[in-house]
Structure formats: structure tokens, C-alpha cells
Amino acid sequence: MSPEPDARAKTITANVALNLSGTPLRAEITVPTHVFELRQLLPTVRSLSEAIIGEAVKADASNGFSVSCRSGCGACCRQLVPIAEVEARLIRDMVEEWPEPRRSRVLARFAEARRRLEEAGLLERLQHCETVSDDELVPVALDYFTQGIPCPFLEDESCSIYEERPVVCREYLVTSPAENCTRPTAESVRRVTLAAKVSTVLTRMGRDPATELTRWVPLILAMEWADEHPDDLPQRTGPEWLREFFQRLTGKIIPPPRAPEKEKPRRRPAR
Ligand code: SF4
């Protein structure tokens, strides 16, 4: 990463050239130099995720595996969707700002999903699994899927918040026949393998770098989770957020960006 500070514009541009397990990633990223909340970095994070996904899709296509996901196929939207806390708060705020009757319609779907989770004895398990590991998550996810609870944003089997959907939803692409997703098994569903999962990085952003624990929220409980958990994520400058993001993405230590050079005082011309 080679940052180029531009003190006048109060932004900084980083030219990123990475090799993620053999997958190249090149991007030019411009961020503000002042401190801001992680949610303001989301457009950048999403586009980096799309770049990684794009490379993986290209690699699969060149090996004869084409993505079979289509609009109108919402089988994966009945799975447990683990999102980052910053995304949970974004979803809560987005829904709260929607005009009626859209807002009430979606809130009713969240309430119905909660009722079904409670009835199935899954609600409490989901309310206390923010920091469980991927392995511990598997049995919960399997039990969840058997309930067939649609995501509250699924309308006519399509995502109604497509542009704002969480990163983990963007990352879920398959190359096996679409109908296999209704009864997915490790053998019947072939997922596009990504060089790095930005969704996992996002669940760790702003938290203690010493811990590798993720902190995620089940999308189905995003509304109540966001209400119960005030935003305690730190604010950082653009370069600090980017440094943390790429450190977590690559697992490598990245030196702090250079501070902008101070302008040298001009010499007075001799009289
Ligand atoms: S947010 Fe959209 S893509 Fe993600 S699970 Fe819900 S409906 Fe599906």
C-alpha cells in the first residue's frame, strides 16, 4: 500500500497492489484524513469485496464453473446470515427511516421471524452467539436452516435491499445447480471460493487487534441487537481504518502511513 497524502484536499489516496493467495487485487482508494465512523468506510469496503469476488468468479469461469445465482432464487436467503455490527446498525437506521407502509411491513416480518425462532427454541441460542467461532456456529446454522425462515428483506424471492445488502450476502455465490440450494450439502453445493472474506474482516474492525474473535450479529435479529447495543466502535482517520482493514485482510503488519510533509519555510530573498 503506498499512500499519497494530499493535505489541501484533506483526503489521502492509497494505491493498493496485493496478492491474496495467488489472487491479484489492485485498487486506488481515497479516504478522508479526519476521524470518522466505520460505517462511512462501508462503500470502500464493499467495493474491495466486489473486486475480490470478481477475481474469484473470473477464475472459476475460466475453469468451467459459472455462477448459477439468479434474481428470483432466494434459497440462500433462508440461511443464517452473520453480519458485522456496523451493518446491523446501518440496517436498523435504514429501516427506521423508510416511509410507511414499507417500514411497518418489514418490521412485521422481523417480528414474525422472531416468533418462529422462539417457537423453535433457537432465539436464545442466536441472542448469545456474537463471539462464537465458525465451528461452533455450524450446528446453530443447520438448525436455523431447517426452519426455512425467509430474510425479512426477501420479496418475490429477490433481495429488496440489493444495493445495501450485507457483504456476506455479496460473497455467497454458487456454481452448482440453483435447485440444489434448497437442500444444501457439502457435496451438492459448490460455492465460489474467495481468496479472502471481507465479511469476516468487517466483523473484527474496530475491536481489539490482539483478539481474533469475530463479533457478528444474526441479520434476523439486527433490529433488536442494534437497539440494545449502543455504538461503542472507535472513530479513526481514513489511513488508520485502511491500515487496520488491510492488516486483518492479509494477516501482515503494515507500517503506519507517512504523515504529510510540512511545508518548509521560505527563505527571505537577500536585499
Ligand atoms: S439481505 Fe438480501 S441477499 Fe441478504 S439474506 Fe436478506 S434478502 Fe438475501
Side-chain angles (χ1 to χ4, degrees):
M1 191 166 74
S2 58
E4 291 167 12
D6 182 344
R8 282 165 309 163
K10 295 195 171 62
T11 62
I12 189 166
T13 297
N15 289 301
V16 177
L18 293 177
N19 189 322
L20 295 168
S21 316
T23 302
L25 175 66
R26 286 186 172 277
E28 187 180 278
I29 307 166
T30 299
V31 286
T33 52
H34 59 75
V35 291
F36 59 88
E37 291 178 351
L38 178 58
R39 80 163 55 190
Q40 284 174 258
L41 194 70
L42 270 182
T44 303
V45 169
R46 287 173 181 165
S47 59
L48 285 168
S49 161
E50 302 282 1
I52 294 171
I53 295 165
E55 290 297 331
V57 168
K58 250 195 295 179
D60 265 4
S62 66
N63 289 320
F65 296 104
S66 311
V67 171
S68 51
C69 303
R70 298 281 177 270
S71 172
C73 171
C76 59
C77 302
R78 288 172 175 80
Q79 296 192 24
L80 181 60
V81 180
I83 62 175
E85 52 187 310
V86 62
E87 294 178 306
R89 294 192 184 96
L90 190 78
I91 281 176
R92 188 266 319 268
D93 295 348
M94 178 179 72
V95 173
E96 290 298 347
E97 282 169 18
W98 278 348
E100 295 295 358
R102 189 183 185 192
R103 178 178 165 275
S104 294
R105 195 168 57 227
V106 168
L107 287 178
R109 288 190 206 134
F110 270 103
E112 170 62 9
R114 191 184 199 282
R115 187 196 64 73
R116 288 182 62 183
L117 290 172
E118 198 163 19
E119 202 174 75
L122 275 169
L123 183 61
E124 208 175 326
R125 284 166 77 191
L126 284 176
Q127 280 171 327
H128 302 289
C129 63
E130 301 163 327
T131 55
V132 300
S133 68
D134 285 358
D135 286 347
E136 292 168 313
L137 182 60
V138 172
V140 187
L142 288 174
D143 290 346
Y144 183 95
F145 188 68
T146 58
Q147 298 305 312
I149 301 171
C151 171
F153 299 113
L154 191 65
E155 291 181 2
D156 298 327
E157 295 302 304
S158 292
C159 180
S160 62
I161 56 162
Y162 193 76
E163 295 302 323
E164 296 297 326
R165 71 198 188 287
V167 173
V168 73
C169 300
R170 295 161 200 259
E171 292 176 336
Y172 194 94
L173 293 170
V174 303
T175 59
S176 40
E179 57 272 20
N180 291 8
C181 291
T182 51
R183 290 174 188 273
T185 63
E187 294 75 36
S188 65
V189 171
R190 184 186 179 280
R191 284 187 65 175
V192 172
T193 308
L194 304 175
K197 286 192 76 182
V198 168
S199 57
T200 305
V201 172
L202 202 52
T203 59
R204 294 176 179 159
M205 291 285 286
R207 294 296 172 197
D208 181 1
T211 168
E212 277 309 295
L213 274 183
T214 53
R215 188 175 158 97
W216 62 276
V217 182
L219 186 152
I220 206 80
L221 299 180
M223 301 297 292
E224 64 182 70
W225 188 92
D227 282 345
E228 288 162 10
H229 295 77
D231 191 351
D232 62 348
L233 281 172
Q235 296 205 358
R236 292 189 172 146
T237 64
E240 286 166 351
W241 279 126
L242 284 188
R243 182 169 173 243
E244 180 184 351
F245 177 83
F246 284 108
Q247 284 196 156
R248 291 188 182 279
L249 189 75
T250 61
K252 294 185 178 147
I253 302 293
I254 295 172
R258 293 193 310 267
E261 276 179 29
K262 283 194 184 140
E263 224 175 279
K264 288 184 185 147
R266 284 203 194 138
R267 270 217 192 133
R268 275 197 176 172
R271 294 192 181 204

